[in-house]
């Protein structure tokens, strides 16, 4: 059966649902994005649902591991 899960909103963090402050989504060059100078927590990357990988960026808070990210947080996000 095909996966019919809604695609994540590319302007929202797939872990917490907050704005991800992505420069590319804002029409800015990638070089100016916050993520280019920040380390991303391996735990946050591991918590990303497969359906969001490569489609939506983490927010700075989740990327830093400032919150305990859990895959179920993304399931609670409202559909776009």
């Amino acid at each position: 059966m095909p996966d019919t899960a809604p695609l994540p909103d590319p302007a929202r963090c797939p872990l917490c649902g907050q704005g991800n402050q992505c420069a590319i989504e804002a029409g800015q060059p990638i070089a100016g994005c916050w993520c280019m100078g920040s380390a991303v927590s391996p735990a946050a990357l591991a918590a990303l649902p497969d359906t969001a990988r490569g489609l939506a960026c983490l927010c700075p808070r989740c990327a830093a591991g400032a919150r305990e990210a859990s895959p179920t947080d993304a399931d609670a996000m409202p559909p776009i």
Side-chain angles (χ1 to χ4, degrees):
M1 180 183 290
D3 185 8
T4 59
L7 294 176
D9 180 344
R12 299 209 165 271
C13 175
L15 294 181
C16 71
Q18 298 299 310
N20 57 20
Q21 303 173 29
C22 178
I24 295 172
E25 283 302 310
Q28 304 297 316
I30 192 169
C33 194
W34 66 267
C35 69
M36 300 310 321
S38 300
V40 177
S41 162
L45 289 176
L48 278 171
D50 288 339
T51 57
R53 292 182 185 275
L55 298 175
C57 296
L58 296 170
C59 69
R61 184 173 170 219
C62 288
R67 62 183 289 284
E68 187 174 315
S70 120
T72 57
D73 289 346
D75 294 336
M77 285 179 42
I80 52 174

